[in-house]
């Protein structure tokens, strides 16, 4: 009996050790229109697609339950912009953008991830290629202390496209 208890104790300890890294991992989702989201530019240019995007389709626990989009522009710096102010965690993390199935037709959405308080990493995402998917930002690199993600409507495309501003996810 004593041998059996030691074996169970050993197995329970092993299972706990296997679970420890998962307990340290953290995923945070920052919604468009949420408390950590700031949109700028003329409100007449912002459009909302109810029941779409991550919160509208899959994340029933988050709000608002819509995706947000605007027309692209060739204006340097953009007309409508958004910032997701992320709660920085002193770990290496990856940033992702959710690209919804509708109103995401730009081929050059420029996302900029700010990290480690002074560094920035930009990447262009072809939103047209994705359908209700999380897409890695900053080339999928792990970055230390991510504190914000910016997106602009400035794509410099020849014809007007739709730039979608949906949820941002940080995984570490």
């Amino acid at each position: 009996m004593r041998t059996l208890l030691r074996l169970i104790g050993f197995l329970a300890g092993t299972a706990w050790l296997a679970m420890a890294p998962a307990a340290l991992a953290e995923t945070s989702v920052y919604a468009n229109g949420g408390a950590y989201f700031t949109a700028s530019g003329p409100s007449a240019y912002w459009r909302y697609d109810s029941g779409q995007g991550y919160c509208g389709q899959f994340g029933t626990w988050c709000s608002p339950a819509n995706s947000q989009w605007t027309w692209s522009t060739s204006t340097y710096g953009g007309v409508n912009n958004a910032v997701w102010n992320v709660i920085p965690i002193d770990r290496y993390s990856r940033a992702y953008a959710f690209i919804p199935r509708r109103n995401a037709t730009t081929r050059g959405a420029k996302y900029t991830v700010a990290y480690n308080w002074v560094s920035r990493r930009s990447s262009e995402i072809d939103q047209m290629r994705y359908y209700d998917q999380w897409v890695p930002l900053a080339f999928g690199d792990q970055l230390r202390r991510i504190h914000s993600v910016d997106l602009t409507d400035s794509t410099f495309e020849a014809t007007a496209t739709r730039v979608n501003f949906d949820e941002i996810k940080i995984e570490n």
Side-chain angles (χ1 to χ4, degrees):
M1 179 71 163
R2 187 171 252 181
T3 305
L4 179 60
L5 289 176
R6 285 186 188 156
L7 179 59
I8 292 171
F10 173 75
L11 291 175
T14 303
W16 181 83
L17 288 175
M19 291 173 46
L24 295 176
E26 186 174 313
T27 297
S28 301
V29 173
Y30 296 89
N32 66 305
Y36 299 97
F37 177 81
T38 305
S40 61
S43 59
Y45 294 164
W46 286 109
R47 304 285 188 266
Y48 303 89
D49 197 358
S50 182
Q52 294 300 308
Y54 180 76
C55 289
Q57 292 277 324
F58 309 103
T60 56
W61 53 270
C62 61
S63 69
N66 63 34
S67 67
Q68 184 170 339
W69 64 273
T70 190
W71 292 103
S72 63
T73 182
S74 295
T75 305
Y76 180 75
V79 175
N80 282 15
N81 301 287
V83 177
W84 292 261
N85 293 300
V86 176
I87 299 170
I89 298 172
D90 194 13
R91 290 190 211 146
Y92 283 89
S93 305
R94 286 188 171 88
Y96 299 85
F98 188 81
I99 310 301
R101 68 179 80 186
R102 295 192 334 201
N103 296 309
T105 61
T106 184
R107 299 217 177 254
K110 186 175 180 183
Y111 291 87
T112 302
V113 179
Y115 63 100
N116 216 20
W117 301 116
V118 295
S119 301
R120 300 174 76 73
R121 176 88 40 97
S122 295
S123 56
E124 278 190 17
I125 302 297
D126 180 351
Q127 290 185 342
M128 187 73 158
R129 290 182 56 198
Y130 300 99
Y131 184 95
D132 286 342
Q133 286 181 270
W134 288 106
V135 178
L137 302 176
F139 309 102
D141 292 342
Q142 286 190 324
L143 306 172
R144 186 171 180 192
R145 273 192 219 125
I146 295 173
H147 59 89
S148 69
V149 176
D150 303 12
L151 177 59
T152 179
D153 63 0
S154 183
T155 65
F156 294 98
E157 292 169 284
T159 59
T161 59
R162 296 174 182 192
V163 182
N164 204 291
F165 296 72
D166 206 55
E167 279 64 56
I168 296 295
K169 175 174 73 169
I170 307 296
E171 286 185 347
N172 51 17

